[in-house]
Structures are given as C-alpha cells and as structure tokens.
Amino acid sequence: MSENLNPFAIAQAQLDAAAEILQLDPQMHAFLREPMREFHFSIPVHMDDGHVEIFKGFRVQYNDARGPAKGGIRFHPDETIDTVRALAAWMTWKTAVVDLPLGGGKGGVICNPREMSQGELERLSRAFMRNIARYVGITQDVPAPDVNTNAQIMSWMVDEYEVLMGHREPGVITGKPMELGGSAGRPPATAMGGIFTIREAARLIGLPLEGATCAIQGYGNVGSFAHKLATEVLGMKVVAVSDEFGGIYNSQGLDYDSVFAHVKSTGRVPGYPGAESVTNSDLLELEVDVLIPGAIENQITGQNADRIKARILAELANGPTTPEADEILAAKNIYIIPDFLCNAGGVTVSYFEMVQNAQQFYWDEGMINDRLDRKMTTAFHAVHNMAQSKKVSNRVAAYLVAVDRVARAVRWRGWV
Ligand code: NAD
C-alpha cells in the first residue's frame, strides 16, 4: 500500500501517537485534532491585461489557547487547505515547544507568483490583507512570510492593514524589512536556531563538529544560511548542497561565498564549477555526519529511509520525513532533531520582532542571537529529556512537550 502523504493526515497521525502516550482525554484529543477556525476567501484581482482573476486564499487559526495565532502566508500554485491546516498545526506545536506565548496559524493563496508582475503581486497581497484584516492583529493572529512571500509582500500587507485601521501597528506582521520595524537577525534566524540544536545534539552523541561533514537539501532562505552558518559557526565541512534543479558535491567541502555567488548569478545550484553533480535523492543518501533537509515535505520516505547514513538528521524543512520513514530511521540509531523543534528559530525571532515593535525599542543582532540560543537550547533539552524519560523518539517527545503545554492552556481556560 502506498504511503498517505496528505500533510494534514500526517500531522493528525503524529498528534494521535502523542495523545495516546499523554493519555489525553478523548474530548481534548478531538479538539486538538482540528483547527479552531479557518477562513476561505475568493479574492478578485485586476490583472495587468485588464481581466479580473479570482484567487482562492485561506487563513487557518489552528489553536490560540497560548496566545495570538502565529504563522506564515504561502503563495503557491499547489496550495491546498490541507497543507495550510497541517502547517498551522505544526506552528501550534512549534510555538509551544519553544515556549512562546503564541498559538499557531498559517495562510495561503493558490497562485503562481513566478508568472505575476510586481503590480499584480502587490494588488493580490493588499487584497488578501483586506480579506483577513478583521481576523488578524497583535492580539489575534500575526502572519509572516513563508514559501514565495517575502519582506516586500509583508510591507504591502502591513501598509494595507495600517491604512484600513487608521493607525500604525507594525507588530501585526513579522518578517518586515528593518525600515518598517523588522528585527535584526531575522533572515538567518531559522538556520541559526537549527545550528544551535545541531551543536547540542553533537555534544550529546559525542560527535566533534569541527571538520565534520554535512549535506544540505534546498538552497533558499533556510538552506543557504545553513551552509553559511554550519561553516562559520560550527566549523563543519559542507560537502553537498542542492535546489529544485539538482545538487553539487565536493568531498573537500564547498566554499559558501563562491557557491552563494554562483546561485545568485545563475539562479540555480547545478553548474557550479569545481564540484560533481549529485541528484537530490543521492544527496540524501550520502555518507555524511549531518544531513539537513531544508527544502520541502516528504523527502525521506519508506522508499529511501533505510539508505540514510547521517548520524544527525536536522530537519530544517517542515515535514521532510514521513511516519513510515520515521519507523525505519528509529532502528538505525540516527539522532533526529524533529522539524518543529529544529526550525523554530524563525518564529522565535519573529516573536522577538513583535516584542520590539510593542516596545518601540530595538535590539542588536548579538542580543537576538544570545536570546535565540537560550530559547533553542532550553527547548532542545526539554525534548531530549522527555525522549529519555518516556523512551520515545525525539519527534514523539517534541509532541509530548508541546501538546501537553497546549492542552494545559486549553484546560486552564475551561474550554475542554
Ligand atoms: P525558499 O523558497 O527560500 O527555498 C526553498 C528551496 O528549496 C529552494 O532552493 C528550492 O529550489 C528548493 N526546492 C524546492 N523543491 C525542491 C525539491 N523538490 N528538491 C530539492 N530542493 C527543492 O524556502 P525556505 O524559506 O528556505 O523554506 C525551506 C523549508 O524550510 C520549507 O519547508 C519551509 O516551510 C521551512 N521553514 C522555513 C522557515 C523560514 O524562516 N524561511 C521557517 C521554518 C521552516
């Protein structure tokens, strides 16, 4: 039978496993299995050629017991409500595992931004904000960038919101440029948070990181910063990187500055001189110390899990490993840093951005990284200790820590 790769079915199956161990009562389990609220919008946008295109958009507020919902907005041709639901659920567990006073949400628009002009993108971004404006805000729900959305799109959205409301409220959106109240250290934050967890995992399993080998799938915001920081902060040798077009490998290590310059000028990883080609599937199976999936979902499945050879699997992407793969990896003594722990650095610095916006007082990058390190290291050990004490995988342990925190907040509120 083929694996069910519907991300929401996977998110629910992961919750079910945690609920059983936590012995959640059936009502609490049923409540946490579904989003609390979701909004579906039809969004008309005037296109450059004069016709009106109707886009479909979603915002899911999965759970806000611990604080305002928090989560990005994706623009993607293959967006589905189930992807948005799954990502909103993972945001709920992610903000809880790093103990931020926030809930979880996610948004998306079915569109192909690569085929849209800047003017069309601006009109779509502003129209999306007009649709969600009454449901978001610093006390309700705070969106951010995600796949195919960026600081420019966040700027249009925050501007639209402030025009509608008649006052400045920069904290309604994070991932803004510095000029509009963005935070120092936000662009590298997801990768930086992951680097702190790799450092802790390596200490635990006795792996010296200086000169250790690393392969990274994906070379966008997360993957390219992971290359830079794995080299600069941990002293690792990054031997392979890839993007959607393919990968490159050099056993002597790939120099970050020149690979990054190559990707910037050509728009793709393959074609970099001084390295062999490697496919995305071969990259995952390389004999490296640390493997970082930093691209998309469902990359490590029942089909290839038994060929993964890394000692640490640091999941910077969301949902890169399927439940069937998890079972196979569990028998292989690979130290897995599960996605919503490993990649929580982004939302943590987004939270710092909200705090700075509220205070109208801004911190430097050193302070951001110190505070990020403390949050990530504390969360890492909470999950590791839970895994040890309950004799479960790190992924299940991350769910146990997070779901328990959310359930407690729900109970204190008297909802269930
Ligand atoms: P991005 O759009 O900047 O980059 C995505 C990269 O993945 C690109 O290099 C693209 O070419 C590559 N890619 C796409 N399809 C691929 C495929 N089939 N095989 C190999 N590579 C492929 O996105 P990002 O912000 O770097 O996000 C990457 C992952 O990290 C996503 O799962 C995202 O949800 C997750 N994440 C991102 C953040 C953040 O702050 N950006 C935070 C938490 C989690």
Side-chain angles (χ1 to χ4, degrees), residues 74 94 146-148 186 190 217-223 242-244 280 294-297 299 316-318 343 346:
R74 289 185 164 196
K94 190 184 305 193
D146 201 278
V147 174
N148 290 332
R186 178 61 185 88
T190 303
Q217 185 190 47
Y219 214 73
N221 171 279
V222 164
S242 70
D243 62 9
E244 68 204 82
N280 265 293
I296 51 166
E297 309 85 56
Q299 294 303 292
L316 275 175
N318 279 312
N343 67 31

Side-chain angles (χ1 to χ4, degrees), residues 48-61:
D48 291 349
D49 67 2
H51 88 283
V52 174
E53 182 94 19
I54 315 292
F55 292 94
K56 185 104 193 101
F58 313 106
R59 183 75 189 168
V60 173
Q61 295 169 352

Side-chain angles (χ1 to χ4, degrees), residues 70-351:
K70 184 87 193 79
I73 298 166
R74 289 185 164 196
F75 282 2
H76 201 279
D78 302 327
E79 194 63 275
T80 68
I81 184 63
D82 272 347
T83 312
V84 180
R85 286 176 180 139
L87 290 160
W90 287 325
M91 284 305 299
T92 305
W93 316 134
K94 190 184 305 193
T95 55
V97 86
V98 275
D99 205 9
L100 304 176
L102 297 170
K106 206 78 179 189
V109 177
I110 304 172
C111 67
N112 189 348
R114 285 179 208 258
E115 289 174 359
M116 295 170 70
S117 70
Q118 283 297 99
E120 290 168 341
L121 269 178
E122 175 172 355
R123 291 194 289 282
L124 173 62
S125 303
R126 289 184 182 277
F128 184 68
M129 177 49 86
R130 284 197 297 281
N131 278 273
I132 64 170
R134 75 189 70 174
Y135 312 114
V136 299
I138 55 174
T139 56
Q140 286 166 277
D141 181 4
V142 177
D146 201 278
V147 174
N148 290 332
T149 56
N150 54 27
Q152 176 60 76
I153 289 173
M154 296 306 109
S155 301
W156 290 324
M157 287 188 181
V158 80
D159 183 65
E160 190 69 21
Y161 183 85
E162 292 180 338
V163 168
L164 283 169
M165 299 299 160
H167 62 254
R168 292 280 173 259
E169 195 179 314
V172 68
I173 286 217
T174 60
K176 301 178 295 294
M178 299 283 284
E179 291 80 356
L180 295 190
S183 177
R186 178 61 185 88
T190 303
M192 185 64 100
I195 290 291
F196 294 140
T197 64
I198 293 169
R199 180 195 65 204
E200 295 305 304
R203 273 186 197 150
L204 279 172
I205 66 166
L207 171 72
L209 285 175
E210 191 67 41
T213 54
C214 176
I216 301 170
Q217 185 190 47
Y219 214 73
N221 171 279
V222 164
S224 64
F225 274 116
H227 184 182
K228 178 178 164 70
L229 299 171
T231 314
E232 291 176 4
V233 178
L234 299 177
M236 295 179 69
K237 188 162 74 172
V238 176
V239 294
V241 300
S242 70
D243 62 9
E244 68 204 82
F245 307 108
I248 55 173
Y249 172 81
N250 184 330
S251 61
Q252 300 306 305
L254 295 161
D255 174 63
Y256 166 74
D257 287 327
S258 50
V259 174
F260 188 77
H262 162 81
V263 174
K264 207 162 175 213
S265 70
T266 66
R268 53 178 60 207
V269 167
Y272 175 74
E276 299 165 33
S277 310
V278 65
T279 64
N280 265 293
S281 46
D282 289 345
L283 178 141
L284 297 172
E285 297 168 19
L286 286 172
E287 190 135 7
V288 287
D289 296 307
V290 179
L291 175 63
I292 303 181
I296 51 166
E297 309 85 56
N298 297 333
Q299 294 303 292
I300 302 173
T301 66
Q303 302 299 311
N304 62 357
D306 63 337
R307 295 192 297 276
I308 305 294
K309 301 182 192 73
R311 293 188 61 194
I312 295 175
L313 176 63
E315 296 179 341
L316 275 175
N318 279 312
T321 307
T322 65
E324 196 175 319
D326 253 343
E327 285 185 21
I328 299 167
L329 295 177
K332 287 175 62 86
N333 203 20
I334 295 173
Y335 194 95
I336 300 178
I337 310 173
D339 53 2
F340 68 78
L341 168 65
C342 191
N343 67 31
V347 72
T348 301
V349 176
S350 276
Y351 163 67

